[in-house]
């Protein structure tokens, strides 16, 4: 159980931060410093928490905000991969959560939009090379 909890906690953090920093493109800290970005991240977070059937919503949100602040100058791995035209871990992170939500009948419009836009952004960047 502890192993599962650790993996799921890491998944929540990665799914909230990496896709948005890659899409926007901004450093981690911008997600909490810019109110609009923070609102978008909160929307993704809410859908993620529902899809994963978590009961520790506020505790996890505090962790997400703390990580953004603690790594505020960092560029996420997904943004780095996008810049260098490397494959994104989009399916392993966001795709997995979307599938979990789908099996529960949960609509995740924000997360689906982020996923679709990143797929398109990656395709457009790869065409240019």
């Amino acid at each position: 159980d502890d192993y599962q909890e650790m993996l799921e906690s890491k998944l929540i953090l990665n799914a909230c931060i990496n896709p948005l920093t890659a899409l926007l493109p901004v450093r981690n800290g911008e997600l909490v410093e810019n109110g609009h970005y923070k609102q978008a991240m909160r929307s993704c977070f809410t859908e993620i928490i529902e899809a994963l059937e978590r009961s520790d919503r506020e505790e996890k949100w505090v962790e997400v905000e703390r990580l953004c602040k603690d790594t505020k100058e960092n560029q996420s791995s997904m943004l780095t991969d996008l810049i260098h035209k490397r494959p994104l871990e989009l399916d392993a992170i966001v795709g997995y959560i979307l599938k979990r939500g789908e099996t529960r009948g949960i609509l995740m419009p924000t997360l689906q939009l982020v996923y679709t836009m990143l797929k398109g952004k990656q395709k457009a960047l790869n065409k240019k090379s």
Side-chain angles (χ1 to χ4, degrees), residues 42-109:
R42 184 70 188 219
S43 182
C44 288
F45 171 81
T46 299
E47 292 175 9
I48 291 163
I49 291 297
E50 284 186 37
L52 298 178
E53 301 179 80
R54 300 292 299 211
S55 60
D56 54 352
R57 177 184 305 254
E58 288 312 309
E59 178 187 323
K60 290 300 170 199
W61 178 247
V62 169
E63 286 180 35
V64 169
E65 285 187 306
R66 185 180 318 119
L67 184 60
C68 286
K69 290 173 186 172
D70 290 350
T71 63
K72 67 181 179 181
E73 296 302 323
N74 292 11
Q75 180 173 287
S76 74
S77 58
M78 194 173 284
L79 176 54
T80 301
D81 288 342
L82 192 64
I83 289 168
H84 295 291
K85 300 178 183 177
R86 295 189 295 245
L88 303 181
E89 293 180 308
L90 200 53
D91 290 316
I93 297 171
V94 181
Y96 171 78
I97 294 168
L98 288 171
K99 284 179 185 163
R100 286 274 304 264
E102 186 180 315
T103 62
R104 297 189 57 231
I106 296 170
L107 295 177
M108 294 175 284

Side-chain angles (χ1 to χ4, degrees), residues 31 51 95:
L31 295 179

